[in-house]
Amino acid sequence: MYEPKVRNEQTDLLMESLLHLTTMEDAYRFFEDLCTIAEVKSMAQRIEVATMLRNGVTYQEIARVTGASSATISRVNRALLYGADGYRRVLDSIEKNKG
């Protein structure tokens, strides 16, 4: 069984909160209250970077398209390769639901 490194009562409440978001509007409202605009944009950029990396796009092209730094691209790539499989699970689910 997977044991998160950041798990505690606070993070459990955060994850439970995310599981209760049922619409895009709910998600936008929640994240607008929870995070700064910069934090939301940063998270969105990382997901876009992860998607592009999975599709075989080069670091240079990802940086050009997304504006992400090479450090961010590298961090996302490490998470894809050696992380907790969070990106993969979410992106697989999104792809499955689109098809």
Side-chain angles (χ1 to χ4, degrees):
M1 181 162 157
Y2 172 70
E3 187 58 39
K5 296 175 186 138
V6 298
R7 187 169 196 171
N8 62 32
E9 287 183 26
Q10 287 179 329
T11 57
D12 278 354
L13 179 58
L14 173 62
M15 299 311 151
E16 185 177 351
S17 299
L18 294 173
L19 293 172
H20 286 275
L21 300 173
T22 58
T23 67
M24 188 78 77
E25 181 179 342
D26 286 345
Y28 272 104
R29 287 174 179 269
F30 180 71
F31 276 94
E32 192 168 313
D33 286 349
L34 180 67
C35 302
T36 66
I37 292 170
E39 289 168 334
V40 172
K41 287 183 176 184
S42 178
M43 288 185 283
Q45 181 186 64
R46 289 177 188 173
I47 292 172
E48 183 178 16
V49 167
T51 301
M52 294 176 81
L53 285 167
R54 280 176 37 125
N55 290 329
V57 179
T58 66
Y59 275 38
Q60 184 177 15
E61 182 67 7
I62 293 169
R64 187 187 67 76
V65 170
T66 67
S69 68
S70 59
T72 295
I73 298 167
S74 180
R75 186 178 318 116
V76 171
N77 194 46
R78 272 193 313 276
L80 284 169
L81 296 173
Y82 310 111
D85 272 348
Y87 282 121
R88 182 191 59 78
R89 292 168 67 104
V90 164
L91 295 174
D92 286 352
S93 178
I94 289 170
E95 288 175 12
K96 181 181 173 185
N97 288 326
K98 282 185 178 179

